[in-house]
Amino acid sequence: MSSYVRTQEGMMNTDESDQKAAIYFINDMIWQIQAAEKAGGFESRDVVGMMWKWMKIGCLLHKPQYARENFLMFIRKADDPPAGKKASQILRSKLGRRADYPTYSAADLHLIIFKECEKAMATFIDQYRKIMKTRDPATYEYFIGYVKRMAALGSV
């Protein structure tokens, strides 16, 4: 049963079972990133799956309306990754930090780490969109439409 509390940074779910479910999705995303790095790159279906998982994580940890309120992060420009780092490496690192963080600790700290992961996810998707737009404009347009449809549903 969800147990949302208000922190200085916003809402955060403190329910341990919801947090464990979110960690399952986080670990799955980490595995997907590692598999894609070994394979030499990401497939569109992998990125869409990661995006879906991130929205599910947001709904579990941050607020139930997360998908509807935060879909723009997937179609807006985000910060570039630091020089010499890949966006996928940064995302994997941030997700790993969240997965390793105890579920019973303070909600404020959970939300701070969540926001770091959110920023890394936005950067990852932005970098992927840039590559997709140059390689395959039709897939890029489909991707943007998919994000908008996902937002219209309001949940994942």
Side-chain angles (χ1 to χ4, degrees):
M1 188 71 164
S2 297
S3 177
Y4 291 92
V5 296
R6 188 168 302 282
T7 69
Q8 290 180 344
E9 301 291 321
M11 299 296 287
M12 190 67 190
N13 188 355
T14 58
D15 182 68
E16 195 169 354
S17 63
D18 285 346
Q19 287 196 31
K20 287 180 179 180
I23 289 171
Y24 169 82
F25 288 114
I26 289 170
N27 286 330
D28 193 45
M29 285 177 65
I30 292 169
W31 178 85
Q32 271 188 299
I33 293 168
Q34 291 170 335
E37 288 173 345
K38 284 181 184 175
F42 291 87
E43 298 287 329
S44 292
R45 69 177 184 272
D46 297 332
V47 175
V48 169
M50 289 173 61
M51 190 172 59
W52 178 89
K53 287 174 192 147
W54 179 255
M55 288 297 190
K56 187 69 173 169
I57 292 165
C59 291
L60 285 167
L61 294 181
H62 191 41
K63 51 185 151 181
Q65 325 73 329
Y66 184 82
R68 186 170 297 208
E69 294 176 3
N70 295 77
F71 77 95
L72 287 175
M73 69 182 270
F74 294 129
I75 56 178
R76 282 190 178 157
K77 177 160 175 32
D79 295 336
D80 289 331
K85 294 270 188 170
K86 290 185 175 183
S88 61
Q89 293 171 331
I90 295 168
L91 178 59
R92 185 177 41 147
S93 169
K94 299 292 182 184
L95 290 172
R97 182 171 177 224
R98 177 58 187 96
D100 293 340
Y101 204 74
T103 58
Y104 51 81
S105 58
D108 286 318
L109 296 174
H110 276 281
L111 190 56
I112 289 168
I113 295 171
F114 175 83
K115 292 292 186 178
E116 290 174 2
C117 292
E118 182 179 61
K119 184 178 177 183
M121 186 67 181
T123 298
F124 171 75
I125 295 294
D126 184 49
Q127 295 299 309
Y128 182 75
R129 259 193 0 261
K130 287 177 185 176
I131 293 168
M132 187 187 331
K133 190 172 186 176
T134 58
R135 287 188 186 164
D136 189 359
T139 302
Y140 172 79
E141 292 300 323
Y142 176 80
F143 181 81
I144 298 299
Y146 180 81
V147 171
K148 289 177 181 178
R149 283 189 303 279
M150 186 169 65
L153 292 174
S155 63
V156 288

